Amino acid sequence: MSSVGAGFRLARAGWVLVREGVIAALPGEELSGLPKFGWQLARLFTRRRALAYERSDRLAKAVVRLGPSYVKLGQFLATRPDVVGNDMALDLAMLQDKMHTFPRVEAVAAIEASLGRKVGDLYAEFGDPVAAASIAQVHAAEAIHDGAATKVAVKVIRPGVRRRFFQDLESYFLAARLQEKYIPSSRRLRPVEVTETLAQTTKIEMDLRLEAAALSELGENTRDDPGFRVPSVDWERTGRDVLTMEWVDGVKMNNIAGLEEAGHDLKAIAANLIQSFLRHTLRDGFFHADMHPGNLFVEANGTIVAVDLGIAGRLGKKERRFLAEILYGFITRDYLRVAEVHFEAGYVPRQHNVAAFAQAIRAIGEPIHGQPAETISMAKLLTLLFEVTELFDMATRPELILLQKTMVVVEGVARTLDPAFNMWKTAEPVVGGWIAGNLGPRGMMIDARDGAKALLTLARQAPELAARTDRLSREIDLMAEHGLRFDETTARAIGKAEAHYGRSGRVALWVIALTLVYIAWKIL
């Protein structure tokens, strides 16, 4: 029955997208056959007033009408331009803070249930909401610290949002499975895996203790960094459904006039923003992955304060080296080295030719060297690079796509502050410093130390590994003698899973068919 419900919810979502003109706003003139017929049918059922809106406005109205879980889906897909395309990703990124607030009394109930204390005992004052997003809203409040009242920001989870999201999540998985089954060309994008990533990231985002931990970690990493920080967390007043943190007094970075009026040096802020992001990415391997200007404040002394760390990105040492060597290789026009890094990291299958891949990369790099540095977009370069890697069977790597998306946003913010912003000159001290420290003699010594530690750990585990190898050898001998066998429970579980998958597909097709019959009946 859950599959039936998921099918109907999916059909309803499609109907809302049609009525609000989202489907009609897509470029359909070049389509042919059944897809073009569907596009024309969608235009027929579009509300007349929706035709007057821009595509981004239509999308925002449709997603808000569908509810918080679809707003979160849109925001998540905005981080995956490889899946939805760059233009659609930019439209989806506009969904920030589009939700209505919920009553103060419901926020109070959520806080008291989460912390087990009365709001009056926790806060000297607790005000009305000042901002609302898909999963939570923020209230201004005052807390008593060391006998003095301190202004704080209190983030509270929306009532019922978890139940609503996990219901809609069934629809997302159904759509992903149908896409993989009936659109083979989309399998490279791994739609089911993308949906699983959405489910995991949202589970994390819906536990505000984990966001508090991310703020704490980024705060420790940036404690000594010039001109950048994150709000401190009040752990006493933080739980699964509530996060209390320092109130930030500053000008939002999307308020250019306000920044100028406050006397800030916009060029210095732009440079600080880019260098801070690259420092977090390369040095720490942990970065704020939702750095749109609404989440960035500038304090009176010019310090950038980043809030809302619900989405964070992590890069391992291999990925950090990958990024640094790519950027440095393009700067020095060493395209063969850029290609070799892709193969060394295992991103491009070995059956491809390194020299041919280097040739494809040269086609991206050479045109940029004839342009002024301030016109060259690092984010666009990475976008083109990922497009080329598709030709060489490089599978989608979510951590790199999230990095690319964040770099697009951060670079866009920097160019808004300073239209003549020179990305490469600004990035060189951070990228060059990281390469000198990690790929030079010092880096070789660090690698040798890490290798020695790994060997020591392996030596300590040698007896256990030997015992496991002996057991595995005996099991392989038994398999060779008697063949591979499943026990009765495993066989029954496999059969049940296959039957359920088949039923889900048939139910979804029936729901879609009934929806089309209903639409045809409406036309007649």
Side-chain angles (χ1 to χ4, degrees):
M1 292 302 294
S2 61
S3 296
V4 174
F8 275 110
R9 283 192 291 271
L10 192 60
R12 175 184 173 270
W15 177 248
V16 170
L17 292 174
V18 167
R19 292 291 284 164
E20 295 298 336
V22 176
I23 306 300
L26 298 175
E29 290 84 357
E30 298 181 2
L31 298 175
S32 60
L34 190 59
K36 185 164 188 177
F37 173 74
W39 178 72
Q40 292 172 334
L41 198 62
R43 295 187 66 185
L44 181 65
F45 281 98
T46 299
R47 296 178 191 271
R48 288 189 177 181
R49 67 172 181 266
L51 297 174
Y53 298 126
E54 295 292 331
R55 185 179 67 184
S56 59
D57 293 329
R58 297 185 195 184
L59 184 62
K61 288 179 181 295
V63 172
V64 171
R65 183 178 163 189
L66 287 169
S69 58
Y70 278 87
V71 174
K72 178 48 58 183
L73 173 65
Q75 292 172 341
F76 173 78
L77 290 177
T79 71
R80 298 299 304 269
D82 61 317
V83 175
V84 298
N86 287 324
D87 291 340
M88 183 61 74
L90 291 174
D91 288 345
L92 290 169
M94 302 298 291
L95 295 174
Q96 307 290 345
D97 302 329
K98 294 289 185 180
M99 298 301 297
H100 299 296
T101 60
F102 55 88
R104 178 182 179 277
V105 64
E106 294 184 11
V108 169
I111 292 171
E112 293 179 346
S114 181
L115 299 180
R117 296 167 62 186
K118 293 292 184 183
V119 164
D121 297 333
L122 292 164
Y123 307 102
E125 289 186 17
F126 185 78
D128 292 325
V130 295
S134 57
I135 286 179
Q137 70 182 24
V138 177
H139 295 254
E142 284 189 357
I144 303 299
H145 293 125
D146 299 326
T150 304
K151 192 172 184 181
V152 293
V154 184
K155 188 173 183 178
V156 187
I157 287 286
R158 283 183 173 276
V161 71
R162 291 187 182 89
R163 176 183 55 81
R164 176 67 184 273
F165 181 82
F166 289 117
Q167 283 180 343
D168 288 335
L169 193 61
E170 294 179 357
S171 303
Y172 304 160
F173 273 111
L174 176 59
R177 289 195 297 268
L178 291 173
Q179 182 180 350
E180 280 198 354
K181 186 173 183 179
Y182 295 108
I183 310 177
S185 60
S186 71
R187 290 172 188 163
R188 186 191 64 83
L189 299 174
R190 303 175 181 175
V192 172
E193 185 177 310
V194 169
T195 308
E196 289 171 348
T197 304
L198 168 64
Q200 180 62 25
T201 56
T202 307
K203 284 179 184 177
I204 294 173
E205 207 170 343
M206 286 182 182
D207 189 335
L208 295 183
R209 294 169 298 189
L210 299 181
E211 181 178 345
L215 282 168
S216 178
E217 181 178 352
L218 190 59
E220 290 181 2
N221 292 343
T222 60
R223 182 183 295 117
D224 300 323
D225 287 0
F228 184 95
R229 70 182 189 89
V230 294
S232 59
V233 175
D234 183 342
W235 285 101
E236 180 187 351
R237 297 169 178 83
T238 293
R240 189 184 73 149
D241 295 341
V242 55
L243 165 59
T244 303
M245 55 192 152
E246 167 193 0
W247 182 269
V248 177
D249 281 318
V251 182
K252 276 193 175 183
M253 206 171 281
N254 55 8
N255 184 1
I256 302 298
L259 292 172
E260 292 175 338
E261 186 178 342
H264 291 296
D265 184 344
L266 300 189
K267 292 184 178 181
I269 293 173
N272 182 22
L273 178 65
I274 290 295
Q275 290 184 345
S276 295
F277 169 70
L278 289 173
R279 195 177 292 118
H280 307 160
T281 303
L282 293 174
R283 181 193 65 195
D284 308 322
F286 182 65
F287 59 92
H288 192 310
D290 197 17
M291 294 181 74
H292 66 85
N295 282 343
L296 300 170
F297 291 81
V298 181
E299 294 182 309
N301 63 357
T303 297
I304 297 172
V305 184
V307 301
D308 194 3
L309 198 51
I311 304 176
R314 291 190 184 274
L315 291 180
K317 190 172 183 180
K318 181 176 72 173
E319 285 76 25
R320 283 182 269 166
R321 175 189 167 193
F322 170 77
L323 173 64
E325 289 217 59
I326 281 178
L327 298 179
Y328 195 73
F330 275 108
I331 292 172
T332 60
R333 302 173 76 175
D334 189 351
Y335 305 120
L336 180 60
R337 181 58 193 149
V338 175
E340 289 172 346
V341 169
H342 280 75
F343 281 81
E344 289 172 8
Y347 295 143
V348 177
R350 287 287 178 182
Q351 69 264 23
H352 291 289
N353 184 275
V354 176
F357 188 49
Q359 178 185 353
I361 291 174
R362 180 181 292 273
I364 298 171
E366 282 303 298
I368 71 175
H369 283 284
Q371 302 178 32
E374 62 269 16
T375 68
I376 302 171
S377 167
M378 185 183 294
K380 185 177 180 181
L381 184 144
L382 288 179
T383 301
L384 292 172
L385 178 64
F386 291 147
E387 288 177 359
V388 166
T389 56
E390 292 179 17
L391 302 175
F392 291 83
D393 302 319
M394 177 175 165
T396 298
R397 306 215 36 113
E399 72 278 8
L400 299 181
I401 295 297
L402 187 60
L403 169 69
Q404 174 204 349
K405 172 263 177 184
T406 309
M407 188 171 287
V408 168
V409 173
V410 173
E411 186 176 354
V413 174
R415 291 192 188 277
T416 301
L417 296 170
D418 178 13
F421 181 72
N422 187 325
M423 180 72 175
W424 298 95
K425 183 177 179 181
T426 306
E428 196 279 331
V430 179
V431 177
W434 190 90
I435 287 177
N438 290 272
L439 302 183
R442 180 185 170 191
M444 294 175 65
M445 291 179 64
I446 293 174
D447 288 342
R449 182 196 65 190
D450 293 344
K453 287 183 178 179
L455 286 173
L456 181 60
T457 301
L458 185 63
R460 288 173 177 170
Q461 296 176 348
E464 182 182 352
L465 290 173
R468 289 182 180 178
T469 302
D470 183 58
R471 287 197 302 270
L472 179 60
S473 176
R474 289 198 299 268
E475 289 173 4
I476 291 174
D477 288 341
L478 289 173
M479 288 170 56
E481 183 177 352
H482 303 290
L484 180 63
R485 296 183 179 182
F486 293 120
D487 60 30
E488 185 178 349
T489 303
T490 303
R492 192 183 306 116
I494 292 173
K496 185 177 179 181
E498 288 293 326
H500 175 73
Y501 184 83
R503 283 198 304 272
S504 299
R506 289 194 295 272
V507 168
L509 290 175
W510 272 108
V511 169
I512 294 169
L514 289 172
T515 304
L516 291 175
V517 169
Y518 173 76
I519 293 173
W521 176 71
K522 281 286 188 181
I523 294 174
L524 297 175

